[in-house]
């Protein structure tokens, strides 16, 4: 079949966006993986599939597939690309829409300057809901945050990292580092992603605090590797920094691919993610 798609990115986190309302699509994980492959397919960190929602209080449903073909619960940069896509395709005339995702309803809003703000819902801290197995771990406190020491085996050496663990609908483990440019993201990112204490794996964030309103962030993403930006990762890092008493809302997040802004009023409140959403090209591929 010929599949129409739109290539987009949010601060360098890139997507293949597919209208599954006007195209009949029923792919296997291997087919999604092939589409996301940067050599044999179109190439993307994630694939975003736009559907009509069966939920009467939602305008759309959007499904997210990682580069490895696995379907996941949430994607912050993707939510911004999604709302720009449905506006550009004339699938909606609204600028604020309710979107059903695997982890609940989010509400992206297209701003006048072309940026998008997304209500990403409230962060989740209960370990079993992340999910995170705390068995045998001795937690520490920092401010209002609980930090978990995780042991990593690195070339025969044991290294302990201190993680904030939370869910933005998808699982995140965030650590503070002195300098994101020298942090061993390529080495320890995969060890954290696949650690036995994360039964559904995890997105591993590395946060450098510049001041109380500004961080630099790198994220080794579950199922995609390091990306140039991670929206849910930026939410998780800002929330962790605020709970640790290191940051105040709003937080400017400098990712390698661009700048995101996070606002959070505290426990039980939603996290707001603001950032760019860019259409790069339209395409068609025979699959
Ligand atoms: N890049 C996405 C994260 C995708 C999440 C995916 N890596 C996972 O949770 O497995 C974002 O902007 O939030």
């Amino acid at each position: 079949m010929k599949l129409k798609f739109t290539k987009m990115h949010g601060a360098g986190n890139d997507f293949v966006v597919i209208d599954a309302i006007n195209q009949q699509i029923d792919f296997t994980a291997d087919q999604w993986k092939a589409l996301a492959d940067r050599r044999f397919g179109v190439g993307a960190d994630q694939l975003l599939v736009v559907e009509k929602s069966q939920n009467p209080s939602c305008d759309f449903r959007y499904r997210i597939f990682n580069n490895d073909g696995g379907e996941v619960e949430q994607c912050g940069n993707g939510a911004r690309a999604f709302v720009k896509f449905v506006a550009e395709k004339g699938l909606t005339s609204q600028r604020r829409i309710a979107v059903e995702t695997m982890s609940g309803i989010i509400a992206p809003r297209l701003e006048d300057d072309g940026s998008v703000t997304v209500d990403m819902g409230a962060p989740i801290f209960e370990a079993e809901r992340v999910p995170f197995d705390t068995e045998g771990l001795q937690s520490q406190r920092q401010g209002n945050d609980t930090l978990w020491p995780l042991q990593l085996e690195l070339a025969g050496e044991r290294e302990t990292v201190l993680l904030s663990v939370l869910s933005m609908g998808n699982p995140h483990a965030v650590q503070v580092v002195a300098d994101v440019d020298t942090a061993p993201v390529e080495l320890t990112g995969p060890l954290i992603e696949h650690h036995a204490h994360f039964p559904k794996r995890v997105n591993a964030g590395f946060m450098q605090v510049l001041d109380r309103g500004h961080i630099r962030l790198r994220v080794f993403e579950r199922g995609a590797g390091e990306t140039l930006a991670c929206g849910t990762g930026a939410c998780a890092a800002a929330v962790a920094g605020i709970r640790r008493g290191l940051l105040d809302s709003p937080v400017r997040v400098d990712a390698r691919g661009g700048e995101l802004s996070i606002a959070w009023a505290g426990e039980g409140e939603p996290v707001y993610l603001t950032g760019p959403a860019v259409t790069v090209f339209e395409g068609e591929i025979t699959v």
Side-chain angles (χ1 to χ4, degrees):
M1 76 174 274
K2 284 202 177 301
L3 179 70
K4 290 187 181 353
F5 66 86
T6 300
K7 188 74 175 32
M8 303 184 75
H9 76 84
N13 182 195
D14 70 326
F15 309 109
V16 166
V17 190
I18 295 160
D19 171 355
I21 298 171
N22 298 300
Q23 297 182 106
Q24 195 59 41
I25 294 160
D26 181 16
F27 284 178
T28 63
D30 284 343
Q31 286 176 300
W32 289 124
K33 185 175 179 179
L35 191 57
D37 189 287
R38 295 193 185 282
R39 297 288 185 283
F40 297 98
V42 179
D45 293 327
Q46 279 89 26
L47 307 163
L48 310 179
V49 181
V50 178
E51 302 175 343
K52 270 289 173 215
S53 173
Q54 303 307 314
N55 179 332
S57 58
C58 286
D59 305 284
F60 296 96
R61 176 180 180 225
Y62 106 108
R63 299 175 69 189
I64 304 143
F65 297 86
N66 272 329
N67 176 272
D68 68 358
E71 185 167 6
V72 291
E73 312 88 341
Q74 197 51 269
C75 179
N77 288 324
R80 300 198 314 276
F82 167 88
V83 74
K84 183 144 193 195
F85 176 83
V86 295
E88 286 180 346
K89 291 291 179 189
L91 293 172
T92 181
S93 57
Q94 294 168 267
R95 297 171 68 82
R96 186 184 187 281
I97 51 178
V99 186
E100 179 191 357
T101 69
M102 196 198 270
S103 69
I105 297 172
I106 56 172
R109 184 183 67 240
L110 197 49
E111 308 287 6
D112 293 339
D113 66 359
S115 70
V116 181
T117 295
V118 193
D119 169 346
M120 293 297 296
I124 294 163
F125 304 106
E126 294 86 355
E128 59 280 359
R129 293 178 61 199
V130 173
F132 174 50
D133 175 7
T134 61
E135 179 71 32
L137 298 181
Q138 192 61 43
S139 67
Q140 303 173 24
R141 293 292 293 173
Q142 183 183 8
N144 296 326
D145 202 10
T146 302
L147 305 184
W148 297 94
L150 215 59
Q151 227 167 53
L152 308 177
E153 293 285 334
L154 207 54
E157 301 281 311
R158 279 174 183 252
E159 179 185 337
T160 299
V161 290
L162 212 44
L163 301 170
S164 297
V165 178
L166 65 155
S167 169
M168 285 304 304
N170 58 348
H172 287 272
V174 186
Q175 59 186 285
V176 174
V177 295
D179 181 345
V180 289
D181 291 331
T182 57
V185 174
E186 304 79 5
L187 282 176
T188 59
L191 300 180
I192 297 168
E193 176 194 0
H194 294 277
H195 201 284
H197 281 273
F198 294 103
K200 287 192 174 178
R201 296 182 292 154
V202 71
N203 296 283
F206 299 76
M207 157 168 70
Q208 175 184 351
V209 178
L210 299 177
D211 63 40
R212 293 190 63 84
H214 190 187
I215 63 172
R216 298 177 70 209
L217 180 69
R218 289 174 68 184
V219 181
F220 190 92
E221 286 196 27
R222 175 180 63 170
E226 182 174 7
T227 57
L228 292 181
C230 180
T232 50
C235 295
V239 165
I242 291 166
R243 276 167 50 102
R244 289 187 186 210
L246 305 174
L247 299 174
D248 303 308
S249 178
V251 178
R252 171 181 159 182
V253 180
D254 291 354
R256 291 193 145 179
E259 186 183 317
L260 302 174
S261 176
I262 308 295
W264 183 53
E267 311 292 317
E269 295 297 321
V271 184
Y272 292 93
L273 161 66
T274 301
V278 177
T279 299
V280 182
F281 64 88
E282 306 282 345
E284 193 173 273
I285 182 170
T286 303
V287 289

